[in-house]
Amino acid sequence: MKNFLDLARAGPDLVAELVTLAGRLQRHPEPDALRGKVLGLLFMNPSLRTLASFQSGMARLGGDSFVISPGSSWNLEYLPDIPMTGAAAEHVREAIPVLASYADVLGVRAFAGGKDLVEDLSEPVFSAIEGLCSVPLINMESAANHPCQALADWKTMDDEQIPKANGRFVLSWANHPKPLPLAVPAAAAHMAAMRGMDVTVLRPQGFGLPSDLMQRIHTAANQSGGSVTETEDREQAMDGAHVLYAKSWSATDVYGDAQADRDLRAGLTGWTVESDWFDGADPSCIFMHCLPVRREVVVTGQVLEGPRSRVIRQARNRMFAQMAVLYRLLADKGD
Amino acid sequence: MKNFLDLARAGPDLVAELVTLAGRLQRHPEPDALRGKVLGLLFMNPSLRTLASFQSGMARLGGDSFVISPGSSWNLEYLPDIPMTGAAAEHVREAIPVLASYADVLGVRAFAGGKDLVEDLSEPVFSAIEGLCSVPLINMESAANHPCQALADWKTMDDEQIPKANGRFVLSWANHPKPLPLAVPAAAAHMAAMRGMDVTVLRPQGFGLPSDLMQRIHTAANQSGGSVTETEDREQAMDGAHVLYAKSWSATDVYGDAQADRDLRAGLTGWTVESDWFDGADPSCIFMHCLPVRREVVVTGQVLEGPRSRVIRQARNRMFAQMAVLYRLLADKGD
Amino acid sequence: MKNFLDLARAGPDLVAELVTLAGRLQRHPEPDALRGKVLGLLFMNPSLRTLASFQSGMARLGGDSFVISPGSSWNLEYLPDIPMTGAAAEHVREAIPVLASYADVLGVRAFAGGKDLVEDLSEPVFSAIEGLCSVPLINMESAANHPCQALADWKTMDDEQIPKANGRFVLSWANHPKPLPLAVPAAAAHMAAMRGMDVTVLRPQGFGLPSDLMQRIHTAANQSGGSVTETEDREQAMDGAHVLYAKSWSATDVYGDAQADRDLRAGLTGWTVESDWFDGADPSCIFMHCLPVRREVVVTGQVLEGPRSRVIRQARNRMFAQMAVLYRLLADKGD
């Protein structure tokens, strides 16, 4: 494994190995495995879980880390061939090789622009930087992907003994005051399909996942023996579900149009996950969400703190999943 | 000791042990005591001393740390049962358990809101989070408390051989352009009372410490054999004083009313500590302040850099005091 | 060596030693050399390379570091004797001794104000803080100096076998949308002169380096056997050049006058470094820039990514140069 950018590119065997390794590092700490190694973390967008779990995970393997957060006072350009007369003081074509020259592995976060769907789906920042990094590169959430979250979620489902074949995974859109990126829903549905589950994408009209992303999910399902369907019928979707994974995302039919997006979601206040959503689900059905989550908008506090919720375990598994990625990239390159 | 939230809850025996331990770690470093441990630091308000002293202190014990600073782009909600449609993207009911899942000990800073005195005195953030943290929790300054500062100040007075019984401790209000929280004055006066000193709170009309806080200070004095008085008579207060501890705070009579507060303090320009304040004091009287301090407003540069000033030693003792807290919470749980 | 503030004050012998040490630490890592030591980093201005290279370098020597970044919410005052009623909540006269009390070595960055040339050349912040720091102090870029960059650049030229005696070093002004500090051009030209090179400062009318800075460069050249000239004739400057070091800086003739500066540089769009600048240069001539760099404004992407460019190696050498400084200040005090 040279980089960790996408579960699809890693492939099911490596993903399974990483999940196993994450569990091993959780049970049997290796506090000296990455002694002397340095992890660079570049956040073009803010972070709580990702920063804390990467820094803590690297420390628990004996390594060190540094954090770079461009903010209000400076930005990084990623578009090619543009005279840089604006707010961006530096281009990723310099910044990435420089940071890579200080680090043994580099994590980068770069959210979607949220204006142009085709552009966001093309992963403009990661496309721009992938060839520039002389050390292993980790996707800490890109425009349309979040493989660290997906790996942690896979481990969480394994920990909870959620079935793979015939396991029913419902990714449900949920209400939210703002249009949010597609990275987590795309990564979660793809991961579940790759895990061999029967995936249902439950969402209102106007919020269908883009065909490119659905195609990726279908491909993963075809390879794993899983399946994928889309619906706006909650009852049908939740019937026998083993997992309800909630997440809000932008109205894809009016992507980039803030007013139209607001108008669409104004009528969707019923998409706050409540206890009765689970009425037809498998009795053991769990509730998942990547966090951060807006209480009483995305989901009620009752569900979040109820017996079905696994959101804190998911977040905790971010650390172990990422430790496995770091370990595999730096300590043990595998066969 | 499970948490470190309040000297009163720790009790005088444990506080004395911590002060002794701080001195021991200062003289006899233990650079491997917390090897493999991770300290999480959550700053809901900015910091210089607290961040630097915690990170350096943890490193000097062999441990690691990470810093989370919600800022302009995101905030944490702590009020219960509110639909989260505003600026806060995450609730402490998720954020604290998640951070606790990455850390072996968690420090949190959350200043007073400064609008509603009753609310601030109820410690709304720490009340909300205390039960949520699965690892030891440290108060790095809350709405009405600052036990790390108080512990460091206790050590500073011990280092300076300031008497306990019959030691005269004057907490004086001082001028400042802004209404500031009650955390430090409340913690300093309480600490001095707990240490068995005769505490005088010197402040102008309108700036009396709230009765709840005075009650805590009286209780500590009663238990320790100290005493507490309030006055606006500087000469009387400073008579024979061993310590002048200066700090500005909000006008409690008009708490939350910015204009009324400004009007009140406009006439109080005489409350800048100058050399002649010490005229009736004990010859060895020292000057203390928690920093940051506004020169020529709170105190003159002459006093700050004069022979009575111990402000840099106080700040340095923050590191040793906090190392003792970390050590006790993580390395040596005591009896 | 007690501090690292200026190559001129360090002197040529110590600089040569540091360059040698940087190369040794690059080839032969010493991962335990600074075990238990703590580096404090105070950034009054933002940073990418400096923060990352110092934190990574300190970690690679086994030490720890912390970062303090005053920002929008608070500032540090450095002017003496001013009643602090404004935005600055703390004075460097407290902040520096306090940070020094937590650290074994302290790095400080404080850019030029850009308003008053005489004031900026007097190094107001470093003049204010130098006597306040009880531990070794490192200049991480001041109003008119950047010795860490200069040391890295010296190493880069050594690595590239650029001649010292008779080596031709051209410092060229370049276009930029904003007036920038004089720190890097002053430090680069001074370093090259100190290295014994023939230095040409190539700049348009109105952008001459201030006489105080030129005097420093002449003094260094006189001591080393090098030379210094200024010109606006590019062809003459580049004739036989071994190094083209590009950097933009403020219009010194109208320093602090933003409109006049803009007017002056509006006519200077020809000062974007392009491939044909090297037509009369030595065939092995390299291109250097300290980064960050604005593409297609300061220099074309073609030159930046072409075979002459050494900008990434320069940046990488920041880490090794600073490791040498840290090592010399903390591990090995020399003879």
Side-chain angles (χ1 to χ4, degrees):
Chain A
M1 184 164 73
K2 285 178 66 176
N3 296 312
F4 184 70
L5 299 172
D6 178 9
L7 291 202
R9 285 163 67 175
D13 292 349
L14 182 51
V15 169
E17 271 180 51
L18 288 168
V19 171
T20 302
L21 177 55
R24 196 189 89 199
L25 292 170
Q26 180 175 13
R27 289 187 307 276
H28 306 292
E30 295 199 23
D32 292 308
L34 300 186
R35 185 74 58 201
K37 301 291 187 186
V38 176
L39 164 65
L41 298 169
L42 173 60
F43 287 96
M44 303 196 198
N45 301 93
S47 166
L48 179 143
R49 260 158 298 282
T50 301
L51 187 150
S53 58
F54 264 110
Q55 290 209 282
S56 183
M58 191 65 179
R60 291 180 192 286
L61 292 167
D64 287 283
S65 56
F66 62 81
V67 177
I68 296 290
S69 301
S72 47
S73 58
W74 62 283
N75 278 299
L76 293 176
E77 182 60 78
Y78 60 88
L79 298 175
D81 304 327
I82 288 188
M84 291 172 58
T85 54
E90 182 152 23
H91 200 284
V92 293
R93 295 191 72 85
E94 279 72 54
I96 295 296
V98 167
L99 292 176
S101 83
Y102 302 146
D104 297 292
V105 53
L106 186 65
V108 175
R109 161 166 288 197
F111 287 178
K115 306 289 183 199
D116 181 323
L117 182 57
V118 172
E119 183 185 315
D120 284 343
L121 293 178
S122 75
E123 293 286 8
V125 175
F126 274 81
S127 300
I129 70 177
E130 190 180 340
L132 304 172
C133 190
S134 60
V135 296
L137 180 64
I138 297 174
N139 178 340
M140 303 199 298
E141 187 173 345
S142 63
N145 213 336
H146 199 345
C148 293
Q149 183 68 51
L151 190 64
D153 292 341
W154 185 311
K155 176 176 185 301
T156 302
M157 288 196 285
D158 281 8
D159 292 350
E160 300 291 329
Q161 301 182 292
I162 302 292
K164 292 179 178 175
N166 304 314
R168 295 181 61 81
F169 182 95
V170 178
L171 168 70
S172 177
W173 188 85
N175 205 0
H176 196 281
K178 296 182 186 174
L180 295 184
L182 295 160
V184 168
H190 175 268
M191 172 275 298
M194 195 178 189
R195 197 170 172 270
M197 302 178 77
D198 295 320
V199 176
T200 303
V201 180
L202 168 65
R203 78 290 176 283
Q205 286 289 340
F207 291 84
L209 291 184
S211 58
D212 283 15
L213 297 179
M214 286 306 294
Q215 187 53 54
R216 275 171 53 90
I217 301 169
H218 276 288
T219 301
N222 290 343
Q223 290 172 349
S224 69
S227 69
V228 192
T229 56
E230 283 188 280
T231 181
E232 55 183 307
D233 180 334
R234 184 186 307 156
E235 211 168 318
Q236 177 196 325
M238 289 297 296
D239 185 41
H242 295 96
V243 176
L244 171 58
Y245 196 112
K247 182 75 185 77
S248 195
W249 61 83
S250 297
T252 44
D253 282 6
V254 296
Y255 198 87
D257 181 340
Q259 184 59 51
D261 183 288
R262 257 196 306 277
D263 292 346
L264 258 181
R265 66 181 69 212
L268 300 170
T269 50
W271 290 77
T272 300
V273 177
E274 300 187 21
S275 301
D276 63 8
W277 283 42
F278 297 89
D279 285 353
D282 188 273
S284 68
C285 182
I286 62 172
F287 174 78
M288 298 180 75
H289 188 282
C290 63
L291 305 182
V293 68
R294 286 172 178 255
R295 287 175 162 242
E296 311 303 334
V297 181
V298 172
V299 55
T300 63
Q302 196 183 14
V303 170
L304 258 181
E305 302 193 3
R308 298 188 186 278
S309 178
R310 296 296 182 274
V311 298
I312 306 300
R313 295 189 198 177
Q314 278 178 270
R316 178 160 168 78
N317 275 329
R318 288 288 304 278
M319 183 167 73
F320 299 116
Q322 293 159 188
M323 287 168 72
V325 170
L326 293 166
Y327 189 97
R328 182 65 194 262
L329 288 169
L330 293 176
D332 159 30
K333 311 282 180 148
D335 296 325
Chain B
M1 185 164 73
K2 284 177 67 176
N3 296 310
F4 184 71
L5 299 172
D6 178 9
L7 292 202
R9 284 163 68 175
D13 292 349
L14 181 51
V15 169
E17 271 179 52
L18 288 168
V19 171
T20 301
L21 177 57
R24 195 188 92 199
L25 293 171
Q26 180 175 13
R27 290 186 308 275
H28 306 291
E30 296 200 22
D32 292 308
L34 301 187
R35 186 73 59 202
K37 301 291 187 185
V38 176
L39 165 65
L41 298 169
L42 174 61
F43 287 97
M44 302 196 199
N45 302 93
S47 165
L48 180 142
R49 262 156 296 283
T50 301
L51 186 151
S53 58
F54 263 110
Q55 290 208 281
S56 183
M58 190 66 179
R60 291 179 191 286
L61 292 167
D64 287 283
S65 56
F66 62 82
V67 177
I68 296 290
S69 301
S72 47
S73 59
W74 61 284
N75 278 299
L76 293 177
E77 182 60 77
Y78 60 88
L79 297 175
D81 304 325
I82 287 187
M84 289 173 59
T85 54
E90 183 152 20
H91 200 284
V92 293
R93 295 191 73 84
E94 278 71 54
I96 295 296
V98 166
L99 292 175
S101 83
Y102 302 145
D104 298 291
V105 53
L106 187 65
V108 175
R109 161 166 289 197
F111 288 177
K115 305 289 183 199
D116 181 322
L117 182 57
V118 172
E119 182 185 316
D120 284 344
L121 294 178
S122 75
E123 294 286 10
V125 175
F126 274 81
S127 299
I129 70 178
E130 191 180 339
L132 304 172
C133 191
S134 59
V135 297
L137 180 64
I138 297 174
N139 178 341
M140 303 199 299
E141 187 172 344
S142 62
N145 213 337
H146 199 344
C148 293
Q149 183 67 50
L151 189 65
D153 292 340
W154 185 310
K155 176 175 187 299
T156 302
M157 288 196 284
D158 280 8
D159 292 350
E160 300 291 330
Q161 300 182 295
I162 302 293
K164 291 179 178 174
N166 303 315
R168 294 180 61 81
F169 181 95
V170 178
L171 168 71
S172 178
W173 187 85
N175 205 357
H176 195 281
K178 294 182 186 173
L180 295 185
L182 295 160
V184 168
H190 176 268
M191 172 275 300
M194 196 179 187
R195 197 171 172 268
M197 301 178 78
D198 296 320
V199 177
T200 303
V201 180
L202 169 64
R203 79 290 178 283
Q205 286 288 340
F207 290 83
L209 292 185
S211 57
D212 284 15
L213 297 178
M214 286 305 294
Q215 187 52 53
R216 274 171 54 90
I217 301 169
H218 276 289
T219 301
N222 289 344
Q223 289 172 348
S224 70
S227 69
V228 192
T229 55
E230 283 188 280
T231 180
E232 56 184 305
D233 181 333
R234 184 187 308 155
E235 211 168 318
Q236 178 197 325
M238 289 297 297
D239 185 41
H242 296 96
V243 176
L244 171 59
Y245 197 112
K247 183 75 185 75
S248 194
W249 61 83
S250 297
T252 44
D253 283 8
V254 295
Y255 198 88
D257 181 341
Q259 185 57 51
D261 184 287
R262 259 196 304 277
D263 292 346
L264 257 181
R265 66 181 69 211
L268 299 171
T269 50
W271 290 77
T272 300
V273 177
E274 300 187 22
S275 300
D276 63 7
W277 282 43
F278 297 89
D279 285 352
D282 187 273
S284 69
C285 182
I286 63 172
F287 174 78
M288 298 179 75
H289 188 285
C290 62
L291 304 181
V293 67
R294 287 172 177 257
R295 287 175 162 244
E296 312 302 334
V297 181
V298 171
V299 54
T300 63
Q302 196 184 14
V303 169
L304 257 182
E305 301 192 4
R308 297 189 186 278
S309 178
R310 296 297 181 273
V311 298
I312 306 300
R313 296 188 197 177
Q314 278 178 269
R316 178 160 168 77
N317 276 329
R318 289 288 303 279
M319 182 167 72
F320 300 117
Q322 294 159 188
M323 287 168 71
V325 170
L326 293 166
Y327 188 96
R328 183 64 194 263
L329 288 169
L330 292 176
D332 160 29
K333 310 281 181 150
D335 297 325
Chain C
M1 184 164 73
K2 285 178 66 176
N3 296 311
F4 184 71
L5 299 172
D6 178 10
L7 291 201
R9 285 163 68 175
D13 292 349
L14 181 51
V15 170
E17 270 179 52
L18 287 168
V19 172
T20 302
L21 177 56
R24 196 188 91 199
L25 292 170
Q26 181 175 11
R27 289 185 308 275
H28 306 292
E30 296 199 22
D32 291 308
L34 301 187
R35 187 72 59 200
K37 301 291 188 185
V38 176
L39 164 64
L41 298 169
L42 174 60
F43 287 96
M44 302 197 198
N45 302 94
S47 166
L48 180 141
R49 261 157 297 283
T50 302
L51 186 151
S53 59
F54 263 110
Q55 290 208 282
S56 183
M58 190 66 179
R60 289 179 192 287
L61 292 167
D64 288 282
S65 56
F66 63 82
V67 177
I68 295 290
S69 301
S72 47
S73 59
W74 62 283
N75 279 298
L76 292 176
E77 183 59 78
Y78 59 88
L79 297 175
D81 303 327
I82 287 187
M84 290 173 58
T85 54
E90 181 151 22
H91 200 283
V92 293
R93 295 192 72 86
E94 279 72 54
I96 295 296
V98 167
L99 292 175
S101 82
Y102 302 145
D104 297 292
V105 52
L106 186 66
V108 175
R109 161 166 288 197
F111 287 177
K115 306 289 183 197
D116 181 323
L117 182 57
V118 172
E119 182 184 316
D120 284 344
L121 294 178
S122 75
E123 293 286 10
V125 175
F126 274 81
S127 300
I129 70 177
E130 191 180 339
L132 303 172
C133 191
S134 59
V135 296
L137 181 65
I138 298 175
N139 178 341
M140 303 200 299
E141 187 171 346
S142 63
N145 213 336
H146 199 345
C148 293
Q149 183 67 51
L151 189 65
D153 292 341
W154 185 312
K155 176 177 186 298
T156 302
M157 289 196 284
D158 280 9
D159 292 350
E160 300 291 328
Q161 300 182 295
I162 303 293
K164 291 180 179 176
N166 303 314
R168 293 180 61 81
F169 182 95
V170 179
L171 169 70
S172 178
W173 187 85
N175 204 359
H176 196 281
K178 294 182 187 173
L180 295 185
L182 295 159
V184 167
H190 176 268
M191 172 275 299
M194 197 179 188
R195 195 169 173 270
M197 302 178 78
D198 296 320
V199 176
T200 303
V201 180
L202 169 64
R203 79 290 176 281
Q205 286 288 340
F207 291 83
L209 291 185
S211 57
D212 284 15
L213 296 179
M214 286 305 294
Q215 187 51 54
R216 275 170 55 91
I217 301 168
H218 276 289
T219 301
N222 290 343
Q223 290 172 349
S224 70
S227 68
V228 191
T229 55
E230 282 188 280
T231 180
E232 54 184 307
D233 181 333
R234 184 186 306 156
E235 211 168 318
Q236 178 196 323
M238 289 299 296
D239 186 39
H242 296 96
V243 176
L244 171 59
Y245 196 112
K247 182 76 185 77
S248 194
W249 62 84
S250 297
T252 44
D253 283 8
V254 294
Y255 197 88
D257 182 340
Q259 184 58 52
D261 183 287
R262 258 196 304 278
D263 292 347
L264 258 180
R265 65 181 69 211
L268 299 171
T269 50
W271 291 76
T272 299
V273 178
E274 299 187 21
S275 300
D276 63 8
W277 282 42
F278 297 88
D279 285 352
D282 188 273
S284 68
C285 182
I286 63 172
F287 174 78
M288 297 179 75
H289 189 284
C290 62
L291 305 183
V293 67
R294 286 172 177 257
R295 287 174 163 244
E296 311 303 335
V297 181
V298 171
V299 55
T300 63
Q302 196 184 15
V303 169
L304 258 182
E305 301 192 4
R308 298 188 186 280
S309 177
R310 296 296 182 275
V311 298
I312 306 300
R313 295 189 196 177
Q314 278 178 269
R316 177 159 168 78
N317 276 328
R318 288 288 303 279
M319 182 168 72
F320 299 117
Q322 293 159 188
M323 287 168 71
V325 170
L326 293 166
Y327 188 96
R328 182 64 194 263
L329 288 170
L330 292 176
D332 158 30
K333 311 284 181 146
D335 296 326

